[in-house]
Amino acid sequence: MNIIVDAMGGDYAPEAVVKGCVSAAKDFDINLTFVGVKEKIQAVLQNCNYEREKITVVHTSEVIDGDDDPTVAIRQKKDSSMRVGLKMLAGGEGDAFVCAGNTGALIAGATLIVKRIKGIRRVALAPIMPSETGCFLLVDAGANAECTPSFLKQFAIMGSIYMEKIMGIRNPRVSLVNIGSEEAKGTPLVVDTHKALKEVPFHYCGYIEARDIPKGDADVVVCDGFTGNVILKFMEGMGMVFYDMLKEIFYKNIVTKLSAVAVKGGLKKLKKTMDYTEYGGAPLLGVSKPVVKAHGSSNEKAFYHAIRQAVMCVKSNLVDEITDNIQKYGDDPRKETR
């Protein structure tokens, strides 16, 4: 198995990218192809212990930055590490692609170069998020600001398959984000999607309100990309604020510091649960080959888990599973006019 990695994407590239991925390659016994500025990548590799025959470096002269216009960048920066890596994936030179670079450009590039699975209407960004009982998949988290019931139905199908095949959750609970639990409540998009999801032979549990999402009441949380991105950013912010508040409480004086010692194990467990680096990245569901979007601020640990995630996508035949189920249960795009 060969995983292609954009070595220049992310806040700490290429050092964190290369070190984290090399560590994962050893543990999972895979090959890696790093794409990016060769001198910079090799400078990091010099300080790594690895099997030379399992690591390949492909030189590129350009990098897509975070503030680049996504579509323009992916079309014009033809020798960028992201575009070259995606072309290699599309051409069969690797089994999956991992990147922490510009999210919009990655979504555009994956759609234009690697292509969508036949029948898939839109690619969806689907990060794993922490909850009180474990974790859940948020889909879509920002790739599609405007959606149709057909899009959301496909998101639900893909999300359910991902949680079962990759996260090992049998019969995942799927819920649709809404402002209430009443049958007819919500926008026309939500109401129509609710009706459509009842027809899918997965464990659809109906509506879920925002307050119940972090409780772990669903394994797959479905919504349009605008709503999903608000949920994602809000939960990230609340996690940081909550952790800072706890530190302030426990380090206030000598008595509270002693109390902190007593609950140290619990605090470490809480921090681990809320740590995005444990999950690696967000899959781009609906792409014809596995593409994993790592967080822009990913460290070595996050890249390690992003590689693990990519390996699991390949081994589980995730794309084939999604393809089969979309053909069975996904709507015919010709039936939808919106």
Side-chain angles (χ1 to χ4, degrees), residues 154-165:
Q154 291 189 348
F155 295 169
I157 293 170
M158 293 191 292
S160 180
I161 294 169
Y162 184 89
M163 290 304 279
E164 182 171 352
K165 296 297 179 181

Side-chain angles (χ1 to χ4, degrees), residues 39 59 117 122 139 181 196 215 247 274 281-282 315:
E39 313 87 73
H59 177 70
I117 293 170
R122 292 289 188 277
V139 54
S181 58
K215 293 179 183 178
K247 285 202 299 184
M274 300 299 290
K315 286 186 174 180

Side-chain angles (χ1 to χ4, degrees), residues 51-167:
E51 296 180 52
R52 294 187 180 277
E53 64 273 12
K54 290 194 171 186
I55 304 291
T56 303
V57 178
V58 174
H59 177 70
T60 59
S61 60
E62 295 178 293
V63 176
I64 293 178
D65 298 317
D67 55 358
D68 282 341
D69 179 272
T71 305
V72 172
I74 207 69
R75 288 185 184 277
Q76 294 185 355
K77 291 191 173 182
K78 296 184 178 181
D79 197 40
S80 63
S81 52
M82 185 187 295
R83 175 169 170 145
V84 171
L86 287 169
K87 287 196 72 174
M88 290 175 66
L89 180 66
E93 297 179 59
D95 300 290
F97 182 62
V98 173
C99 174
N102 186 309
T103 303
L106 182 62
I107 293 169
T111 303
L112 294 170
I113 298 170
V114 186
K115 308 295 184 183
R116 297 190 299 266
I117 293 170
K118 186 178 180 180
I120 288 292
R121 306 296 306 282
R122 292 289 188 277
V123 171
L125 184 65
I128 293 287
M129 303 290 291
S131 72
E132 186 177 352
T133 57
C135 65
F136 66 91
L137 189 76
L138 179 64
V139 54
D140 177 30
N144 307 279
E146 296 182 3
C147 291
T148 68
S150 178
F151 295 0
L152 296 182
K153 181 180 178 181
Q154 291 189 348
F155 295 169
I157 293 170
M158 293 191 292
S160 180
I161 294 169
Y162 184 89
M163 290 304 279
E164 182 171 352
K165 296 297 179 181
I166 305 302
M167 302 305 292

Side-chain angles (χ1 to χ4, degrees), residues 298-313:
S298 291
N299 55 21
E300 291 178 34
K301 180 180 176 183
F303 279 108
Y304 176 95
H305 287 293
I307 293 295
R308 175 184 59 79
Q309 194 175 18
V311 170
M312 291 176 70
C313 287

Side-chain angles (χ1 to χ4, degrees), residues 253-293:
N253 55 52
I254 187 64
V255 176
T256 57
K257 287 179 181 179
L258 290 172
S259 300
V261 173
V263 295
K264 186 177 180 181
L267 289 174
K268 282 186 175 181
K269 184 178 179 181
L270 174 63
K271 186 177 181 182
K272 182 180 175 69
T273 300
M274 300 299 290
D275 186 3
Y276 72 86
T277 64
E278 293 288 335
Y279 303 108
L284 295 189
L285 298 179
V287 183
S288 62
K289 292 188 177 182
V291 176
V292 176
K293 170 64 178 74

